Structures are given as C-alpha cells and as structure tokens.
Amino acid sequence: EFSKTLKDLNLQMFKVIHKRHKKLGIDLTPIQGTIILTIFENQETLCQKHLEQFISCNKSTLSSILDTMEKKNLIKRVSDCTDTRKKVIVLTKNAKSFVEKIKEDKIMVEKGMLQGIEKEELELFNATLNKMLKNLERM
C-alpha cells in the first residue's frame, strides 16, 4: 500500500508538471526539466555518470533521454578539458532559456502539493522517508 501511494504521488506530480509545462509553452518532459535544472545547479560540469546518480536512473535510460534532449537542441556533450575520454553535458542557450520558468513552476507545484500540511508534519514525513531510504540502502 505504501509503495503504491508513493508511486501514485510521483506519477501525479509528473502529470501536473507536464500539464503546467505545456501551458507555459515549454516543450519538455518533467524528467528533461529535472535534468536541465540539475545541470544548471551544478555549474554545467556534470558528466553522464554523475547525472545518473543525481536523477536515480540507469545508464541506458539516461542515455536515451540525453539523445532526445540533444536532438531537441537542449544539451551538448563535449569532451572534458581534463580528461578527453569523459563527456561533459552542457546546456544550450535554448535550454538555459527555460531555467527560470522551470524553477518557478517547480516552486508552484511544491506549494500546491504541500497545501494544508503543517511544517512539523512535513519534517516528520521527510525524516521518516530518509530512515526508509537508509534502510533500503543497507539491504
């Protein structure tokens, strides 16, 4: 029951974000928006392996998402200046133009989702989720 509720919450949040992106004229999936923000917040110096850890997905899934983003002129993969075998993912001007809208929209969705929830309730919920995460990591 609990895992189903978490899955449903995540799915509903992605639906709301996708719907809001469309209204704002942003042609991005929620995961693409998350990737853009993650790269932006890390001064655009992320390689694919680090990005996998930030967004918790496997190599092939991320590679497919990045291929699509590259075709949409949202990212470029460039050689790392210190290790040419590594590819660093860089945002294009096109992607950078979405950053502020995505940030603002993320705040609005979180505010709406947390409406009516007291600060103490949220703190307890976050602490509980973190304990559950650590339990799973030990398994």
Side-chain angles (χ1 to χ4, degrees):
E1 184 67 32
F2 179 75
S3 59
K4 181 188 179 318
T5 303
L6 281 179
K7 180 186 70 74
D8 290 347
L9 176 69
N10 190 53
L11 182 62
Q12 189 60 37
M13 188 172 67
F14 269 50
K15 284 180 181 179
V16 168
I17 290 169
H18 191 66
K19 184 178 173 182
R20 290 178 59 89
H21 279 181
K22 280 186 173 184
K23 280 185 180 178
L24 291 171
I26 301 173
D27 183 25
L28 298 174
T29 65
I31 194 67
Q32 290 171 344
T34 299
I35 289 170
I36 288 171
L37 284 183
T38 302
I39 295 169
F40 182 80
E41 290 166 355
N42 286 277
Q43 290 81 39
E44 301 184 52
T45 57
L46 284 181
C47 63
Q48 186 167 332
K49 186 170 188 112
H50 290 122
L51 192 55
E52 286 171 29
Q53 295 165 352
F54 275 106
I55 63 165
S56 302
C57 81
N58 65 43
K59 186 177 183 175
S60 62
T61 300
L62 181 60
S63 185
S64 175
I65 294 167
L66 294 176
D67 287 344
T68 300
M69 291 178 74
E70 203 163 23
K71 287 176 188 168
K72 290 172 80 173
N73 190 32
L74 297 168
I75 61 153
K76 288 182 189 176
R77 294 174 175 129
V78 297
S79 295
D80 186 0
C81 57
T82 58
D83 183 352
T84 55
R85 294 170 295 171
K86 272 191 197 176
K87 294 290 184 186
V88 177
I89 302 163
V90 179
L91 298 178
T92 63
K93 286 182 183 179
N94 187 30
K96 288 178 186 176
S97 72
F98 295 125
V99 169
E100 288 307 313
K101 284 182 181 178
I102 295 169
K103 279 184 185 179
E104 290 171 14
D105 199 48
K106 181 180 174 186
I107 291 168
M108 294 301 294
V109 170
E110 285 181 6
K111 278 184 181 178
M113 182 173 64
L114 299 174
Q115 188 174 354
I117 299 172
E118 298 295 327
K119 182 180 177 184
E120 296 79 19
E121 290 176 295
L122 187 57
E123 287 172 356
L124 179 60
F125 181 65
N126 279 328
T128 303
L129 285 177
N130 282 318
K131 284 180 185 178
M132 293 168 83
L133 180 60
K134 286 180 182 161
N135 289 342
L136 287 171
E137 287 170 350
R138 283 194 295 267
M139 293 177 82

